[in-house]
């Protein structure tokens, strides 16, 4: 997957000073990214040939099961892989700066400033021995060395207030264990945005939160994105989250992109059987009480010995619709879908959209068969 993946359309300019030095075009451009880890059993390619770009003010959703390479690829963007225990090839450009091979000292100037990340487990990401405010202030002073302790504390309180922490003047002195799960996640968002980054990566930002708090966190991210005009990447396995937040969707399986398009296009006209499986696994609150979820059969492949041909073929119920042994022997290219603009799919099926509407959609959402054409 190289330059065939289109970038998101440009978002509106915020006009703030923080955007003055930014280059034209996408804030993030990833091209042919491969991340390999050496092991005693041989090299493991966790990400292979991945390309995408993200514009300012837009949200890209990266979706897939555990082990698909979502977090590994984003950690490469932030330079968080140990150079001694990983090999990264390809290109990653953040605001025009090539970061593959960048020294750690130079990367620190970007990390937390131009690009920031909200980690999946807020309790593990926050240091238990330091107060919330001290950790926020440190994140601010690293990139604003001239700021006094008083200024940094004031900034920490301001950010806690922005993300909806009640009584931020006093809660700033609490330890992480004194915050609820939702409040810790809000504190992580405050830390991620404290330096007004151009790009914010949210790795499973609603994991382990109840549905009400999940909705609040997603609404908060969208509100803050509009305020800061940041580009956002949301990593998740939940297409429901993607439907609410993302402009574009990148579906990953076994370290590769298997489908890419606008959110509306992917949710209404998916063309990769793996994406069909993800959609089939979403609970339908309008279904009868006897209805059962339709899981994807089998397990994700081992990256030590991935299947030949299409990596999804051992779990795919539609491979027999492809002539010969094409699915077993040849990896499909990432190619345009059924005549739709900016929709790419990695599948040998000749007319997947027709198969989806005729065979998959009536089973998972019969009420939408007539609506989706």
């Amino acid at each position: 997957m190289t330059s065939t993946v289109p970038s998101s359309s440009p978002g509106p300019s915020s006009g703030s000073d923080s955007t003055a030095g930014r280059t034209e075009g996408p804030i993030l451009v990833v091209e042919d990214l491969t991340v390999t880890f050496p092991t005693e059993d041989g090299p493991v390619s966790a990400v292979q040939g991945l390309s995408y770009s993200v514009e300012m003010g837009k949200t890209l959703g990266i979706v897939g099961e555990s082990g698909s390479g979502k977090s590994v690829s984003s950690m490469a963007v932030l330079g968080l892989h140990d150079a001694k225990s990983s090999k990264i090839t390809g290109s990653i450009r953040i605001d025009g700066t090539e970061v593959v091979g960048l020294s750690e000292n130079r990367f620190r100037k970007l990390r937390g400033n131009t690009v920031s990340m909200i980690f999946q487990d807020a309790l593990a990401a926050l240091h238990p021995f330091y107060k919330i405010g001290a950790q926020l202030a440190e994140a601010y002073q690293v990139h604003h060395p001239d700021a006094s302790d008083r200024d940094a504390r004031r900034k920490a309180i301001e950010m806690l207030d922005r993300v909806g922490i009640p009584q931020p003047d006093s809660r700033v002195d609490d330890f992480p264990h004194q915050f609820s799960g939702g409040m810790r996640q809000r504190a992580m968002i405050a830390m991620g945005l404290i330096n007004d980054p151009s790009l914010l990566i949210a790795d499973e930002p609603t994991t382990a939160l109840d549905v009400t708090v999940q909705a609040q966190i997603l609404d908060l991210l969208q509100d803050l994105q509009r305020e800061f005009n940041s580009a956002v990447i949301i990593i998740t396995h939940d297409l429901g989250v993607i439907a609410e937040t993302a402009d574009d969707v990148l579906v990953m399986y076994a370290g590769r992109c298997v489908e890419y398009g606008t959110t509306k296009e992917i949710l209404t006209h998916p063309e990769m059987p793996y994406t069909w499986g993800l959609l089939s696994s979403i609970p339908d609150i309008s279904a009868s009480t006897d209805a059962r979820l339709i899981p994807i059969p089998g397990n994700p492949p081992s990256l030590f010995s991935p299947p030949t041909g299409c990596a999804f073929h051992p779990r795919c119920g539609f491979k027999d619709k492809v002539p010969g042994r094409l699915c077993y022997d040849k990896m499909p290219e990432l190619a345009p879908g059924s005549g739709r603009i900016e929709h790419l799919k990695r599948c040998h099926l000749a007319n997947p959209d027709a198969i989806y509407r005729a065979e998959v959609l009536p089973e998972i959402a019969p009420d939408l068969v007539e609506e989706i054409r």
Side-chain angles (χ1 to χ4, degrees):
M1 178 181 177
T2 54
S3 58
T4 53
V5 173
S7 63
S8 306
S9 58
S13 172
S14 66
S16 65
D17 292 340
S18 61
T19 63
R22 293 172 182 164
T23 59
E24 295 295 326
I27 184 64
L28 173 66
V29 179
V30 177
E31 293 183 339
D32 200 25
L33 174 66
T34 297
V35 182
T36 304
F37 300 102
T39 71
E40 294 180 355
D41 297 320
V44 173
S45 295
V47 177
Q48 302 179 63
L50 184 65
S51 300
Y52 62 87
S53 61
V54 188
E55 298 276 357
M56 291 298 297
K58 296 296 183 178
T59 299
L60 172 68
I62 302 181
V63 64
E65 294 170 292
S66 297
S68 61
K70 309 184 302 297
S71 296
V72 171
S73 62
S74 294
M75 289 178 69
V77 171
L78 280 107
L80 296 177
H81 293 301
D82 186 351
K84 296 180 180 179
S85 59
S86 64
K87 179 181 179 181
I88 299 176
T89 60
S91 173
I92 302 172
R93 296 192 299 278
I94 301 175
D95 201 14
T97 300
E98 177 60 58
V99 300
V100 174
L102 199 66
S103 68
E104 179 61 21
N105 285 337
R106 291 187 62 191
F107 221 128
R108 285 175 181 167
K109 296 179 180 179
L110 292 174
R111 192 187 301 127
N113 189 25
T114 304
V115 57
S116 189
M117 189 167 187
I118 303 170
F119 292 97
Q120 184 174 154
D121 187 349
L123 187 59
L126 292 168
H127 200 295
F129 294 164
Y130 293 92
K131 297 176 180 179
I132 294 289
Q135 297 183 59
L136 288 171
E138 180 184 29
Y140 182 73
Q141 287 180 302
V142 163
H143 297 286
H144 298 83
D146 295 333
S148 65
D149 291 345
R150 178 177 295 180
D151 290 338
R153 177 182 171 85
R154 186 183 301 116
K155 184 68 174 180
I157 294 172
E158 175 191 337
M159 289 306 302
L160 289 178
D161 183 50
R162 281 191 177 186
V163 299
I165 298 296
Q167 300 176 325
D169 291 350
S170 59
R171 301 309 297 265
V172 72
D173 293 318
D174 283 353
F175 290 93
H177 73 271
Q178 294 176 283
F179 274 32
S180 67
M183 290 173 66
R184 283 193 294 267
Q185 200 65 24
R186 289 172 182 268
M188 286 297 299
I189 294 172
M191 185 179 294
L193 291 173
I194 198 166
N195 293 303
D196 189 13
S198 305
L199 173 65
L200 181 66
I201 301 174
D203 188 359
E204 300 277 8
T206 58
T207 294
L209 301 178
D210 63 62
V211 291
T212 302
V213 178
Q214 284 185 28
Q216 293 173 354
I217 294 297
L218 294 176
D219 288 343
L220 173 63
L221 279 173
Q222 291 179 301
D223 290 343
L224 292 174
Q225 180 185 25
R226 286 189 287 268
E227 179 180 348
F228 288 88
N229 193 41
S230 299
V232 174
I233 295 176
I234 291 186
I235 301 169
T236 182
H237 63 275
D238 188 345
L239 279 172
V241 170
I242 294 297
E244 291 292 326
T245 59
D247 298 294
D248 300 288
V249 182
L250 174 68
V251 182
M252 292 189 69
Y253 186 78
R256 297 181 185 271
C257 171
V258 295
E259 191 159 14
Y260 176 91
T262 64
T263 301
K264 180 179 179 180
E265 182 71 14
I266 295 298
L267 294 182
T268 57
H269 296 281
E271 298 196 2
M272 169 64 185
Y274 177 62
T275 310
W276 301 347
L278 293 177
L279 289 168
S280 302
S281 302
I282 299 175
D284 183 0
I285 60 173
S286 64
S288 69
T289 55
D290 296 331
R292 299 180 63 183
L293 294 179
I294 307 173
I296 303 174
N299 297 305
S302 168
L303 296 181
F304 287 103
S305 55
T308 58
C310 175
F312 187 62
H313 86 256
R315 309 173 69 188
C316 182
F318 300 89
K319 55 182 176 287
D320 293 337
K321 295 183 180 293
V322 177
R325 292 183 51 83
L326 202 57
C327 293
Y328 299 84
D329 299 332
K330 183 179 179 181
M331 172 68 71
E333 297 292 331
L334 192 67
S338 303
R340 292 185 172 84
I341 299 174
E342 297 186 347
H343 186 171
L344 305 173
K345 52 95 175 180
R346 190 185 297 276
C347 185
H348 289 304
L349 287 172
N351 196 355
D353 187 52
I355 296 173
Y356 175 72
R357 286 185 284 112
E359 300 184 28
V360 181
L361 193 59
E363 186 173 7
I364 65 174
D367 54 317
L368 296 180
V369 172
E370 294 300 324
E371 182 177 341
I372 296 178
R373 296 183 181 277

Short mmCIF file of all heavy atoms in Angstrom, two decimals, residues 20 95 107 180 287 340 351:
data_model
loop_
_atom_site.label_atom_id
_atom_site.label_comp_id
_atom_site.label_asym_id
_atom_site.label_seq_id
_atom_site.Cartn_x
_atom_site.Cartn_y
_atom_site.Cartn_z
N ALA A 20 1.19 28.33 12.76
CA ALA A 20 1.92 29.22 11.87
C ALA A 20 3.07 28.54 11.15
O ALA A 20 3.34 28.82 10.00
CB ALA A 20 2.44 30.43 12.67
N ASP A 95 4.42 16.69 9.85
CA ASP A 95 4.54 18.12 9.54
C ASP A 95 5.75 18.38 8.64
O ASP A 95 6.47 19.35 8.80
CB ASP A 95 4.66 18.93 10.83
CG ASP A 95 4.29 20.40 10.63
OD1 ASP A 95 3.70 20.72 9.59
OD2 ASP A 95 4.59 21.21 11.53
N PHE A 107 13.60 13.64 18.23
CA PHE A 107 12.24 13.12 18.32
C PHE A 107 11.53 13.68 19.55
O PHE A 107 10.31 13.90 19.54
CB PHE A 107 12.24 11.60 18.37
CG PHE A 107 11.15 10.97 17.54
CD1 PHE A 107 11.44 9.98 16.61
CD2 PHE A 107 9.83 11.38 17.66
CE1 PHE A 107 10.45 9.41 15.83
CE2 PHE A 107 8.83 10.81 16.88
CZ PHE A 107 9.15 9.84 15.98
N SER A 180 -11.57 8.54 39.17
CA SER A 180 -12.30 7.41 38.58
C SER A 180 -11.68 7.08 37.22
O SER A 180 -10.84 7.83 36.69
CB SER A 180 -13.77 7.77 38.41
OG SER A 180 -13.93 8.78 37.43
N ALA A 287 -32.58 -5.95 17.40
CA ALA A 287 -32.81 -7.35 17.07
C ALA A 287 -33.63 -8.02 18.17
O ALA A 287 -33.74 -7.52 19.30
CB ALA A 287 -31.48 -8.08 16.89
N ARG A 340 -16.13 2.96 -6.95
CA ARG A 340 -16.34 4.08 -6.03
C ARG A 340 -15.03 4.81 -5.77
O ARG A 340 -13.99 4.20 -5.60
CB ARG A 340 -16.96 3.59 -4.72
CG ARG A 340 -18.37 3.09 -4.90
CD ARG A 340 -19.01 2.73 -3.57
NE ARG A 340 -20.41 2.43 -3.75
CZ ARG A 340 -20.87 1.25 -4.13
NH1 ARG A 340 -20.02 0.25 -4.35
NH2 ARG A 340 -22.15 1.04 -4.31
N ASN A 351 -17.02 -9.14 -7.41
CA ASN A 351 -18.11 -8.17 -7.19
C ASN A 351 -18.55 -8.24 -5.73
O ASN A 351 -19.66 -8.66 -5.42
CB ASN A 351 -19.28 -8.46 -8.12
CG ASN A 351 -20.25 -7.29 -8.19
OD1 ASN A 351 -20.10 -6.30 -7.48
ND2 ASN A 351 -21.24 -7.41 -9.05
#
